[in-house]
Amino acid sequence: MAQYDFQVKRGKPIDSGRLKKDLNKSASIAAARAFSEQIDKGAHVSECPVCRSVSHHKLLTIYGFDYHECEGCGSAFVCNPPPEEALSAAYRSDYYTQANKVLYANDSIIDYRVANVFVPKIDFAVENSHPSKKTWLDIGCGVGEALSVAKNRGFDVLGLEPNVMEAEYAAERFGIEVRQDYISKDTVSKYRGQYGVISMFSVLEHVPDPNQILADVSEIQEKGDALVIEVPHFPSISTMSQMTFPNHINRMMHPPLHLFLFSLRALEGMLGRHGYKINAAWLFGQDFYEMISTLGLFAPDLNQSKLLSALSPMMSELQAVIDNHDLSDEVLVVAERI
Ligand SMILES: [Zn+2]
């Protein structure tokens, strides 16, 4: 496995019982494909938006969008992203809203997600940071899972969420303050110096210019403040599986929702350029499940349910092999402003 100048945690136990929820993902893939295909494709960009390198090559086309791999930083990015208006329209679409209601703003699973998905992430962030202020700003807070945990850990919390449905859900469900606001050059002064921790879970992969948002966040924070970022990781066994079956994708390499999938080196370089050093990183994922559930689409007679039941008891161990070789599909980093 690769060596880094910071601690890297690898792997997370998987609750296999929960994985069976989307065993038959054909319908979800068909919807994901229809959504992506009707969105306008833009002109090709010349530079990697993550590290500005002009050395990159095409990996493949997914639903009309070209993913390139950067030779400078090792990230994957959509080289022909939609024009700005088309991208914002995609986030206002029924497809996006409905998907979020099922996956996130859903009373039947939210407590499970908080306890099993967000408690470990927030605790990892707290263990690996030393902010002088017990205040937490979550940019793109979604339905508020992360902030509900941070609040329980004693932080004064504020969420920013442009999506009205999610912002209202977060405020009602967890009693936290959520503003329908976003970080930009115009709003930096409102938030400067106030937040010991800033987090962005599943944000950087969605924004057209991740360097701009990091520059703005860097202006808000002071020496010693913590920045917590979670993004899709590249390369991973999930992305390799998806590149093998590019017409059967509904997450990770799903354009244009995921404009970027980041290597850990790319995150290290990008954070360094904006005045941060990484204290710790955590690689984990659902790669083995992604691979098996995709293969199942091509072998309907195989009885995927029985196969997964048989593999369930060893799912965590199988994923651990992937995590231990840095091929997980998610990465979380805790960085410190220097
Ligand atoms: Zn790059």
Side-chain angles (χ1 to χ4, degrees), residues 42-295:
H44 277 80
V45 299
S46 55
E47 295 179 345
C48 164
V50 177
C51 75
R52 308 289 180 219
S53 170
V54 292
S55 300
H56 48 85
H57 59 271
K58 184 174 162 181
L59 289 169
L60 79 170
T61 301
I62 298 175
Y63 309 150
F65 289 98
D66 296 333
Y67 274 101
H68 281 222
E69 179 175 16
C70 176
E71 287 149 28
C73 72
S75 296
F77 63 95
V78 173
C79 198
N80 56 341
E84 203 176 312
E85 181 44 40
L87 188 62
S88 7
Y91 285 103
R92 293 191 303 267
S93 65
D94 285 347
Y95 169 82
Y96 188 75
T97 306
Q98 286 311 314
N100 277 4
K101 279 185 180 164
V102 173
L103 291 171
Y104 309 121
N106 181 340
D107 287 339
S108 67
I109 58 168
I110 188 133
D111 291 336
Y112 173 88
R113 282 179 50 77
V114 167
N116 293 280
V117 180
F118 280 91
V119 164
K121 291 178 189 177
I122 300 302
D123 287 347
F124 181 76
V126 170
E127 283 161 21
N128 290 289
S129 59
H130 333 278
S132 56
K133 301 174 282 283
K134 203 92 172 133
T135 43
W136 192 304
L137 176 69
D138 191 23
I139 299 172
C141 71
V143 296
E145 305 105 316
L147 286 183
S148 77
V149 183
K151 188 179 164 190
N152 276 335
R153 298 292 184 268
F155 286 84
D156 285 332
V157 304
L158 174 67
L160 303 184
E161 177 52 59
N163 183 289
V164 179
M165 182 274 289
E166 293 181 68
E168 287 175 353
Y169 187 95
E172 276 171 35
R173 177 84 194 193
F174 299 114
I176 52 185
E177 184 186 351
V178 180
R179 296 184 193 159
Q180 281 157 35
D181 198 2
Y182 214 70
I183 293 296
S184 69
K185 281 198 249 336
D186 303 331
T187 59
V188 157
S189 59
K190 269 197 284 186
Y191 301 102
R192 184 176 285 133
Q194 299 175 51
Y195 294 94
V197 184
I198 292 182
S199 54
M200 291 190 277
F201 293 97
S202 307
V203 169
L204 286 190
E205 67 270 36
H206 297 277
V207 300
D209 186 354
N211 278 288
Q212 184 58 54
I213 192 163
L214 285 179
D216 294 337
V217 164
S218 180
E219 259 199 69
I220 292 174
Q221 292 201 293
E222 298 168 334
K223 190 176 182 324
D225 289 344
L227 176 60
V228 183
I229 290 174
E230 184 185 8
V231 286
H233 179 244
F234 184 86
S236 70
I237 295 295
S238 283
T239 59
M240 290 176 199
S241 164
Q242 296 189 335
M243 288 190 282
T244 311
F245 305 106
N247 290 316
H248 298 82
I249 294 172
N250 65 348
R251 57 187 287 275
M252 287 299 163
M253 292 188 104
H254 182 200
L257 297 181
H258 287 182
L259 294 169
F260 310 98
L261 297 95
F262 298 85
S263 73
L264 188 44
R265 289 274 180 232
L267 288 172
E268 187 182 23
M270 193 164 56
L271 284 163
R273 288 193 295 280
H274 293 287
Y276 291 89
K277 72 170 175 71
I278 294 180
N279 287 346
W282 186 7
L283 287 159
F284 56 89
Q286 295 188 25
D287 303 84
F288 197 82
Y289 177 76
E290 172 73 25
M291 192 170 62
I292 293 291
S293 61
T294 302
L295 288 173

